[in-house]
Amino acid sequence: MRAIWSDEHRFELWLRIEILACEAWAELGRVPRDALPKIRQASFEVARIRQVEESVGHDVIAFLTVVGESVGQPEARWLHLGLTSSDVVDTAFALQVQESAELIQSDLGKLREACAALALEHRRTPMVGRTHGIHAEPITFGFKVAGWVAELDRARARVAAATAEAAAGKLSGAVGTHATVDPRVEEHVCSSLGLSVDPVSTQVVSRDRHAAFMNALAVAAATMERIALEIRHLQRSEVSEAREPFGAEQKGSSAMPHKRNPVLTERICGLARVVRGYAATELENVALWHERDISHSSAERVIFPDGCALVDYMAIQLAKVIKGLDVRVEQMRRNLDLWGGVVFSQRVLLALVESGLSREDAYRVVQRAAHRAIDGDGGFRANLLESAEVAERIGGRLDELFDPSAGLEQVDVAFERLGLLEKVQA
């Protein structure tokens, strides 16, 4: 990622665009064909470009000066024919976005595969499902992780669509009217680079494209934050159902030797906030003055290299967490049994209703027994049996109703929809 956004690579792309433009002009008879060999051998030194830029205060002019020196006269005069700086800068920028997206997609894909493997491994591992942070009903840990897989699939599809939208170039001149650039030059350069042509550009490629891309990265970062935050919650001392990897020599606190802090997942959550800020910044870049101002440029020089690097880094780090996750199956089972199994309250409620008791009366009996248990007065199952109505109506069914695997028969639907069961069957 660092190489993609380096000055060296940026200038390489600029030079490639300039050469392609000259070749297109030669096809149209505006540039002598015998000038092309020297133009194709053009070169530059980054240090020299920086030196010239110190004097002229313009990076593209400095680049053209240095490249022109390498070509020599009279051939150098054909460089940048009819072009404006943004023709070169924005078209190269589209390539950098495209190249960055390839790395990001690869690492998001590896994260997705790590999650898929974890989901399959724990497809039948029962645990507490929680809403509002409170025990709700049983789920399986694999079902939870399958949700991460589905969301990562959407994130990757979103990034792919946004990349295609951002992979657009323009060589349409100072205000986009092709007054000094034949549209055929633009079409030749963009098609040679594998880019689409912005159909109606101004002096710049329309920034809604780049805003869509940065927001796709922000949503992908939010997905990774969701996964990381879940792991952080599961690692809390009073939950302790899953723990991120912790090295044999690792230390969690300078003061408290017992600490095993979820530092990797906390880092991912923090970086997601940064990427969201970058998305907001790029949305601000959509509205420029008239046919273009330059207020977007300084921001994009920071947020795009940084944002792409951060999202890729997050994917790499989170994949490490998922692959090394310590899933504590026995603790999950213990938490299911907290307070005598209050997570089975709906099953008891429905059984009482089916036995002929009104829903209102059944709810009252079950709620009273559950709240007593949560408050430390007995266990839920024992409290239920103190009620004659419960004992008479469903007393013989409590083993069935308190079975954590009951009611999870349809969990495989999620795996089938994701195509994950194909691996098991194979």
Side-chain angles (χ1 to χ4, degrees):
M1 190 67 75
R2 184 180 292 111
I4 290 171
W5 294 98
S6 67
D7 288 342
E8 180 83 24
H9 187 56
R10 176 163 54 98
F11 294 142
E12 286 172 354
L13 295 176
W14 288 6
L15 181 55
R16 188 177 173 192
I17 291 164
E18 292 285 355
I19 292 171
L20 284 170
C22 287
E23 290 173 347
W25 277 127
E27 288 294 321
L28 297 174
R30 286 284 303 276
V31 170
R33 288 185 179 276
D34 58 10
L36 292 180
K38 276 197 170 183
I39 291 172
R40 287 174 177 143
Q41 293 174 9
S43 61
F44 61 85
E45 291 183 1
V46 174
R48 173 64 178 148
I49 294 174
R50 290 172 179 163
Q51 181 185 37
V52 175
E53 187 179 356
E54 284 291 321
S55 300
V56 301
H58 195 291
D59 55 355
V60 176
I61 292 175
F63 165 78
L64 291 170
T65 299
V66 173
V67 169
E69 291 171 350
S70 76
V71 173
Q73 295 299 337
E75 291 83 3
R77 67 195 176 105
W78 301 116
L79 292 167
H80 209 62
L81 182 66
L83 304 183
T84 189
S85 297
S86 292
D87 289 331
V88 178
V89 171
D90 276 8
T91 304
F93 186 41
L95 291 170
Q96 289 175 296
V97 169
Q98 197 174 51
E99 292 169 359
S100 298
E102 289 177 6
L103 292 181
I104 291 168
Q105 288 284 42
S106 175
D107 288 318
L108 284 174
K110 292 172 185 176
L111 171 59
R112 191 265 188 198
E113 290 309 306
C115 287
L118 185 65
L120 285 171
E121 181 183 355
H122 291 283
R123 181 165 55 116
R124 302 294 189 205
T125 302
M127 69 177 298
V128 174
R130 298 171 173 89
T131 60
H132 304 274
I134 305 299
H135 285 206
E137 291 202 338
I139 61 171
T140 72
F141 184 58
F143 176 77
K144 181 189 290 289
V145 179
W148 304 347
V149 174
E151 194 162 336
L152 286 166
D153 284 344
R154 293 193 295 275
R156 295 185 73 226
R158 204 174 286 117
V159 170
T163 301
E165 194 172 350
K170 61 90 65 179
L171 283 84
S172 53
V175 288
T177 60
H178 295 94
T180 56
V181 188
D182 192 298
R184 289 172 290 180
V185 173
E186 179 180 59
E187 291 161 6
H188 172 78
V189 172
C190 288
S191 64
S192 298
L193 297 172
L195 301 175
S196 64
V197 173
D198 192 355
V200 186
S201 61
T202 58
Q203 191 164 358
V204 295
V205 171
S206 308
R207 252 48 197 177
D208 62 297
R209 298 174 180 272
H210 307 87
F213 179 80
M214 189 55 72
N215 275 269
L217 292 190
V219 177
T223 289
M224 290 187 279
E225 181 185 20
R226 178 201 170 201
I227 297 169
L229 185 63
E230 180 67 23
I231 293 170
R232 287 171 60 194
H233 279 311
L234 295 178
Q235 186 161 333
R236 285 182 296 129
S237 301
E238 57 271 30
V239 178
S240 198
E241 293 179 351
R243 298 169 177 167
E244 70 174 44
F246 196 83
E249 301 298 321
Q250 188 173 342
K251 294 176 172 60
S253 167
S254 63
M256 296 166 284
H258 73 278
K259 295 299 288 297
R260 179 172 174 164
N261 299 329
V263 292
L264 296 178
T265 46
E266 286 176 335
R267 184 182 304 160
I268 289 164
C269 290
L271 293 177
R273 300 168 189 170
V274 178
V275 180
R276 278 196 291 276
Y278 289 167
T281 300
E282 190 57 25
L283 286 170
E284 297 284 347
N285 287 339
V286 174
L288 302 176
W289 285 22
H290 304 297
E291 279 57 59
R292 171 254 194 164
D293 62 54
I294 203 172
S295 60
H296 65 290
S297 177
S298 55
E300 288 177 348
R301 289 173 189 242
V302 174
I303 67 175
F304 270 84
D306 210 24
C308 290
L310 287 180
V311 172
D312 194 46
Y313 173 80
M314 290 169 68
I316 292 169
Q317 293 302 306
L318 189 53
K320 290 179 182 178
V321 171
I322 296 298
K323 290 176 182 177
L325 196 67
D326 176 16
V327 181
R328 309 187 71 233
V329 175
E330 291 305 316
Q331 180 64 19
M332 290 179 175
R333 182 54 191 256
R334 283 191 289 271
N335 285 343
L336 273 171
D337 293 334
L338 276 178
W339 306 298
V342 295
V343 292
F344 304 110
S345 69
Q346 180 175 206
R347 296 182 196 170
V348 176
L349 169 66
L350 294 177
L352 287 171
V353 170
E354 290 166 0
S355 75
L357 196 63
S358 73
R359 183 178 181 86
E360 290 76 13
D361 289 341
Y363 196 102
R364 174 178 45 78
V365 169
V366 175
Q367 184 183 55
R368 185 191 310 119
H371 284 187
R372 279 180 56 201
I374 292 171
D375 290 338
D377 181 9
F380 178 52
R381 182 167 177 166
N383 291 348
L384 284 170
L385 289 173
E386 291 179 8
S387 166
E389 287 178 312
V390 172
E392 292 170 5
R393 290 173 179 273
I394 62 170
R397 295 185 56 197
L398 289 186
D399 284 345
E400 167 198 340
L401 297 173
F402 279 69
D403 178 359
S405 63
L408 297 176
E409 296 83 3
Q410 301 300 328
V411 161
D412 278 356
V413 171
F415 288 82
E416 290 167 359
R417 289 173 174 172
L418 291 173
L420 296 181
L421 287 186
E422 296 171 5
K423 296 182 178 180
V424 175
Q425 293 162 353

